[in-house]
């Protein structure tokens, strides 16, 4: 998979390209110009009462731009917001996105997804003030700003997570680019209770840092997804078994703890969950439907539907019926939304045109659309769609499954303040990136077990999109 010999995502669904020219992107996805008023509609979240200015949500991604400890530094130095991290969120704030979700904010210094993750376990170095600066620039133009709280569980690389914990001792047995995962230890019940308190404390610190709310990350194979899934939860106590109530117990304890610790009725609580796992024995659609109903009962403002794990990648089209509608998970959203009376449903993954996004909302399939990779290539895409300047995203010819890795390079370029973001609709620029990725992968493997970078290959764009226009 690391070789990236698969077809690009642009080949996975029917569409035409249109030439843009200059520094506006070599090729864009062709789409009709139509009424996008559905996307511009404000939306009020039911339990917090907060109102988002439009139906766009910047989906959480792993930016890996925060300060990291040197070998002679304490691990408590890691995860501190950098100038690059702040600048990236400033750009998204300028893009006038309804809700901006900051990705992979970690709860512990010793349990991380990757080098460069933001971490908010405590405030020993006044990092809440640094995060407050991030929140200020992200919210300056009217966006709501939410932190995605995450714990990797078994899904943190061995070099940075030598002693992982999980619901059970089921090891993630995949490797790529030198990364491997140690066998986790099952959390004891007292440790689960401490973990719940940790989520509440980080949520409180987020509130103190100026965030409008938090997203509890229950998707993509991370710790809470490990409790939900029968493939990784082999427990026989009150946190496991065939009963979904037991497997989801930790999630509702966390939601209750956040409410008690933050103690602010206007603080947003949302959840990201997998609609499906794309692997045998994983979370089923019925599990997800039942979980969504319980989340509404718990007072969750917004559910963001996504899918997939490290073992079963989902950010590509699996069915012909979703290709024509762009979103990978739109059909599942149509099953969920009618069941919920208050909680809002957003769908992330696959949207590339204003027509597809607008249709998803106008048809009643969902209340809002989440965008990830398109907003790394075009930080102001939402604003420009609403202004009628563009109707579709820039094409992406990066071979699967390397598109996520290539997105990381673009995030670094925006964070560094580069004038151009690499244009993945240009075959030559893609090839330059593939070569840079192979070089960085070899370098990373050569220095293991030391981890000294985000892993995203650095690249100065030669053919790029001039987003600061």
């Amino acid at each position: 998979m690391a070789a990236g010999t698969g077809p690009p995502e642009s080949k996975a669904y029917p569409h035409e390209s249109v030439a843009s020219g200059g520094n506006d992107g070599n090729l864009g996805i062709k789409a009709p110009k139509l009424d996008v008023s559905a996307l511009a509609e404000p939306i009020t979240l039911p339990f917090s009462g907060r109102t988002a200015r439009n139906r766009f949500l910047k989906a959480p991604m792993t930016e890996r731009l925060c300060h990291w400890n040197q070998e002679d530094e304490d691990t408590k130095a890691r995860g501190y917001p950098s100038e690059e991290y702040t600048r990236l969120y400033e750009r998204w704030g300028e893009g006038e996105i309804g809700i901006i979700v900051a990705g992979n904010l970690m709860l512990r210094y010793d349990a991380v997804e990757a080098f460069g993750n933001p971490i908010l376990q405590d405030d020993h170095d006044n990092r809440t003030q640094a995060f407050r600066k991030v929140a200020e620039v992200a919210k300056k133009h009217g966006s709501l700003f939410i932190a995605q709280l995450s714990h990797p569980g078994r899904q943190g690389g061995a070099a940075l997570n030598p002693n992982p914990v999980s619901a059970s001792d089921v090891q993630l047995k995949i490797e790529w680019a030198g990364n491997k995962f140690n066998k986790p230890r099952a959390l004891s019940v007292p440790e689960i209770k401490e973990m719940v308190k940790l989520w509440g404390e980080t949520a409180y610190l987020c509130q103190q840092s100026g965030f409008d709310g938090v997203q509890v990350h229950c998707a993509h194979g991370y710790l809470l997804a490990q409790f939900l899934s029968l493939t990784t939860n082999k427990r026989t106590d009150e946190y496991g078994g065939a009963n979904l109530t037991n497997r989801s117990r930790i999630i509702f304890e966390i939601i209750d703890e956040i409410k008690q610790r933050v103690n602010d009725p206007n603080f947003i609580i949302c959840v990201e969950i997998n609609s499906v796992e794309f692997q045998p024995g994983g979370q089923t659609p019925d599990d997800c439907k039942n979980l969504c109903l319980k989340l509404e009962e718990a007072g969750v403002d917004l559910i963001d539907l996504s899918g997939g794990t490290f073992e079963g990648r989902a950010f590509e089209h699996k069915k012909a019926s979703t290709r024509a509608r762009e979103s990978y998970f739109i059909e599942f959203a149509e099953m969920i939304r009618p069941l919920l009376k208050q909680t809002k449903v957003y769908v992330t993954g696959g949207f590339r045109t204003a027509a597809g996004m607008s249709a998803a909302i106008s048809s009643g399939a969902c209340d809002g659309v989440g965008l990830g990779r398109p907003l790394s290539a075009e930080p102001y895409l939402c604003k420009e769609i609403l202004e009628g300047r563009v109707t579709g995203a820039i094409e992406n010819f990066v071979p699967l499954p390397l598109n996520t890795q290539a997105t990381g390079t673009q995030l670094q370029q925006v964070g560094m303040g580069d004038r151009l973001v690499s244009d993945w609709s240009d075959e030559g620029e893609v090839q330059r990136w593939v070569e840079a990725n192979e070089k960085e992968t070899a370098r990373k493997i050569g220095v293991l077990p030391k981890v000294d970078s985000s892993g995203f290959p650095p690249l100065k764009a030669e053919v790029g999109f001039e987003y600061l226009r």
Side-chain angles (χ1 to χ4, degrees):
M1 291 179 70
T5 56
E9 71 173 47
S10 61
K11 304 295 184 185
Y13 55 95
H15 71 281
E16 296 180 36
S17 301
V18 58
S20 300
N23 289 332
D24 284 345
N26 183 46
L27 291 173
I29 296 172
K30 187 176 181 180
K33 193 163 187 175
L34 44 67
D35 179 14
V36 293
S37 58
L39 295 169
E41 288 274 339
I43 184 169
T44 299
L45 302 178
F47 300 106
S48 66
R50 304 298 299 276
T51 299
R53 62 182 297 164
N54 56 50
R55 301 304 179 96
F56 287 114
L57 177 145
K58 181 252 131 191
M61 294 179 279
T62 177
E63 305 98 358
R64 307 181 187 177
L65 282 169
C66 288
H67 175 77
W68 211 250
N69 60 299
Q70 301 295 320
E71 286 187 284
D72 59 347
E73 282 187 291
D74 192 282
T75 55
K76 286 189 174 183
R78 60 176 55 164
Y80 193 96
S82 66
E83 180 182 336
E84 293 79 12
Y85 181 78
T86 305
R87 183 182 292 114
L88 177 62
Y89 279 94
E90 181 177 18
R91 294 292 172 257
W92 279 325
E94 292 165 353
E96 300 180 10
I97 304 162
I99 301 173
I100 298 174
V101 184
N104 268 340
L105 192 148
M106 296 289 141
L107 311 175
R108 293 180 59 98
Y109 299 108
D110 61 354
V112 297
E113 177 261 346
F115 180 107
N117 285 154
I119 305 172
L120 196 46
Q121 181 175 345
D122 56 42
D123 195 28
H124 73 280
D125 52 3
N126 295 317
R127 63 181 56 205
T128 54
Q129 292 303 310
F131 277 106
R132 181 169 287 278
K133 291 179 182 177
V134 181
E136 287 173 355
V137 296
K139 296 163 59 173
K140 184 176 180 180
H141 299 274
S143 299
L144 295 175
F145 191 39
I146 292 171
Q148 181 194 57
L149 306 189
S150 185
H151 188 295
R154 69 172 190 155
Q155 203 166 266
L160 291 174
N161 300 270
N163 302 299
V165 295
S166 183
S168 301
D169 62 351
V170 181
Q171 187 174 9
L172 180 59
K173 295 182 178 179
I174 60 173
E175 295 185 25
W176 76 87
N179 292 296
K180 62 180 181 179
F181 304 88
N182 284 349
K183 186 173 183 177
R185 174 179 60 79
L187 287 162
S188 67
V189 170
E191 287 175 320
I192 291 174
K193 301 299 184 184
E194 286 302 311
M195 185 71 72
V196 168
K197 290 185 179 299
L198 188 62
W199 286 75
E201 181 64 19
T202 298
Y204 169 74
L205 292 170
C206 285
Q207 181 208 34
Q208 297 299 298
S209 302
F211 287 91
D212 296 305
V214 293
Q215 181 188 84
V216 180
H217 192 0
C218 303
H220 303 159
Y222 291 98
L223 179 64
L224 299 185
Q226 292 159 31
F227 272 88
L228 284 175
S229 176
L230 285 166
T231 62
T232 46
N233 188 339
K234 307 297 182 183
R235 304 177 74 96
T236 56
D237 59 14
E238 65 266 39
Y239 291 97
N243 189 328
L244 178 65
T245 299
N246 282 357
R247 300 199 312 276
S248 62
R249 187 181 305 278
I250 186 174
I251 295 170
F252 294 98
E253 290 181 351
I254 285 169
I255 292 170
D256 286 344
E257 181 69 21
I258 290 171
K259 289 180 178 180
Q260 292 177 26
R261 186 69 180 94
V262 174
N263 194 27
D264 179 356
N266 301 126
F267 192 71
I268 300 165
I269 299 178
C270 59
V271 171
E272 182 177 23
I273 61 172
N274 278 5
S275 55
V276 282
E277 282 198 16
F278 297 105
Q279 63 181 112
Q283 189 173 313
T284 68
D286 281 343
D287 282 342
C288 187
K289 284 194 288 186
N290 293 332
L291 181 59
C292 287
L293 289 170
K294 291 180 64 179
L295 289 170
E296 183 173 60
E297 291 176 9
V300 168
D301 276 310
L302 183 159
I303 296 171
D304 186 13
L305 295 176
S306 190
T309 68
F310 277 24
E311 293 171 305
R313 307 297 269 187
F315 290 109
E316 56 190 87
H317 287 282
K318 305 287 185 178
K319 299 165 63 178
S321 57
T322 66
R323 290 189 180 100
R325 302 178 66 189
E326 298 185 19
S327 172
Y328 310 132
F329 314 114
I330 193 73
E331 292 178 348
F332 189 78
E334 288 177 319
M335 290 191 288
I336 293 293
R337 190 168 181 261
L339 304 177
L340 302 177
K341 308 304 180 188
Q342 293 177 283
T343 297
K344 305 304 180 184
V345 175
Y346 279 58
V347 181
T348 294
F351 288 113
R352 296 296 180 268
T353 70
M357 301 171 203
S358 186
I361 294 170
S362 298
S363 69
C366 59
D367 297 292
V369 296
L371 299 177
R373 291 194 298 273
L375 287 176
S376 68
E378 303 173 75
Y380 302 152
L381 178 62
C382 299
K383 182 174 182 283
E384 295 191 343
I385 285 175
L386 294 179
E387 291 174 347
R389 294 183 62 175
V390 300
T391 58
I394 294 173
E395 289 277 21
N396 188 326
F397 295 150
V398 176
L400 292 169
L402 294 180
N403 48 351
T404 301
Q405 185 81 349
T407 289
T409 294
Q410 292 175 317
L411 296 176
Q412 306 274 319
Q413 291 169 338
V414 177
M416 293 291 290
D418 292 355
R419 182 177 62 88
L420 298 178
V421 177
S422 283
D423 179 2
W424 302 147
S425 73
D426 182 88
E427 299 276 11
E429 189 75 357
V430 169
Q431 184 57 37
R432 288 182 64 243
W433 180 85
V434 169
E435 292 169 1
N437 187 56
E438 291 172 352
K439 181 178 179 180
E440 174 63 8
T441 298
R443 191 199 67 78
K444 287 187 301 183
I445 293 173
V447 300
L448 284 173
K450 180 181 178 181
V451 179
D452 62 0
S453 76
S454 67
F456 298 142
L459 189 71
K460 193 74 173 179
E462 289 185 2
V463 179
F465 172 63
E466 191 171 6
Y467 65 99
L468 289 172
R469 52 184 180 174

